[in-house]
Amino acid sequence: MLEKLMSIDRRIIFILVALAVILPTLIPVSMPISVSEPTQKLYDYIETIPAGGTIMLVFDYGPASLAELNPMARAIMKQCFAKDIRVIGLTLYAVGTTMGSTLIQEVVEETGAVDGEDYVFLGFRPGLELVILGMGTDITSIFDRDYNGKPLSEIPMMQNVTNYDQVDLLVDLSAGSLTEAWITYANVQFNLQIAAGVTGVIISQMYPYLQTGQLVGLIPGIAGAAEYERLIEAPAKGTLWINIESFVHLLIIGLVVIGNIAFFIQRRREE
Amino acid sequence: MEKIIGIWIAAFLTLCIYSFLYRDNPFYRFAEYLFVGVSLGYSIVLQIHQGLIPFAWQPFSAAVTGGSLTGLIKLIPIAIGLLFFAGLSPQQTWLIRYPSAILIGVTSGVAIPNVLQAHIFEQTRGTIGPFAAIHAGTLSGWGVFEAILMVVGVVCTLTYFFFSIEHRGPVKWVSKVGIAFLMIGFGSAFGNTVMGRVALLIQRVDFLLNDWFGTIF
């Protein structure tokens, strides 16, 4: 029995994980979600931005991270449009262009936000820190047109936006280290307030910036997305998926515990 | 109809990728190569349209056709950038030194003060800053504990990476405490990574069960 447990075929574990995902997907279960401090901070900060204010939403991720970051982006945009805060979307990551443009269209269909008045999507520019620094001086020096090719000078919501001075907050949704680039250049050089929504892989990396105030808020992974959906009182995919995730976590914890018990018993027998 | 075809292609490719869980197979490799190729092709086209054309080609053609002094000045950085291609000729490779030197010089000049401020000075302030609050008596008991724990963690972890003295005696024990802090950090990162990876699986299963099955039933 013990030998069988120690040499269990990994494909059996895959099947167990698949079942732990499929069953709660078919029979949704609702579990309580408590809001963590970093997520609450970002929500509160956006709540303090007056109507007519502007935020930049940066889609620095690709399809491999949309499961965690799309629900956050959706929730933030809904909050902004409900409060009449204008959203400037852009990306420093080439593949993020499709993420941003597609998601904005989905949210626009739900909320009825108007292109050029409530939001604008600028698209992508290569150059990372040079793009960040350039926009700090003059946004039109980097993006003279939006993603659809319309000159920024003809877009109503961009009439009074020249650089970061007119931007109340930048939220970077990132699957890599681009949030650090925004902190290093936009926050240090131009004192732009920055918040982040990040994938699970880099959550730990972001906490020091939260503690120092270099980030005004942080949405940590899919759990943070669910928390944000709770805050805006619009449960969606984030809430659904974190409930399913809890079952997989229970399974993983169970497997780790069983594996360790079996390991220690076997070692004791060998001794 | 286009949407349904897109969903079926996405579902097929998703199943191709997950077939690797059983064993490596041609379907998995086909989907893998397709993903790499499409991602790279898409990125290159986007770099050309969003970077090369508006920042190099359009100023270049405007300078040539317009002949204005302002336009001609833009030819200088374009010409320096083109020197990177000197590497294609073994006799002219030395020309790469010029754009490389400018790139490294500018990047260093821009990055060093900002990086020092963001990652060294601010983080140092964040580590010792709470002690000012302790001194002022504005920090709660838990806050005091957190502040002390953070300093202990930073000092012990840095000691572990300090190789100029031999790790013996008290230094050895301080660095061992540093290892404990590192392990806690790695554990936290690993746990969060598992959460992220499981979320990807859940999103794909959600797509298959709701979007794909939705086109069948």
Side-chain angles (χ1 to χ4, degrees), chain A residues 11 64 66-68 94 97-98 124-126 133 142 184-185 188-189 200 204 208-209 211-212 214 237 241 245, chain B residues 21-22 42 46-47 50 55 110-111 114 117-119 122-123 125-126 150 188-189 192 195-196 200 202-203 206:
Chain A
R11 284 170 289 201
L66 68 85
E68 291 181 271
T97 315
T98 317
F124 161 77
R125 284 284 184 272
L133 292 169
I142 304 296
T184 305
Y185 297 104
V188 169
Q189 192 111 352
S204 309
Y209 301 112
Q211 190 259 338
T212 56
Q214 290 167 287
K237 291 290 185 187
W241 293 345
E245 179 121 12
Chain B
L21 294 175
Y22 182 69
Y42 180 73
L46 213 61
Q47 299 265 1
Q50 305 285 312
F55 289 103
V110 167
N114 289 301
Q117 179 67 28
H119 303 289
E122 281 295 320
Q123 293 303 316
R125 185 185 60 80
M150 190 159 59
S188 164
N192 284 321
M195 180 178 75
L200 301 183
I202 292 169
Q203 190 267 339
D206 184 63

Side-chain angles (χ1 to χ4, degrees), chain B residues 53-71:
Chain B
I53 291 176
F55 289 103
W57 177 250
Q58 285 175 351
F60 174 74
S61 59
V64 170
T65 54
S68 72
L69 189 63
T70 323

Side-chain angles (χ1 to χ4, degrees), chain B residues 20-36:
Chain B
F20 182 77
L21 294 175
Y22 182 69
R23 67 160 69 126
D24 194 6
N25 63 77
F27 289 103
Y28 168 75
R29 267 175 274 151
F30 165 72
E32 187 187 31
Y33 298 157
L34 186 70
F35 174 72
V36 172

Side-chain angles (χ1 to χ4, degrees), chain A residues 129 133 184-185 188-189, chain B residues 104-121:
Chain A
E129 55 271 74
L133 292 169
T184 305
Y185 297 104
V188 169
Q189 192 111 352
Chain B
I104 292 167
V106 170
T107 308
S108 304
V110 167
I112 289 170
N114 289 301
V115 168
L116 281 175
Q117 179 67 28
H119 303 289
I120 306 291
F121 300 147

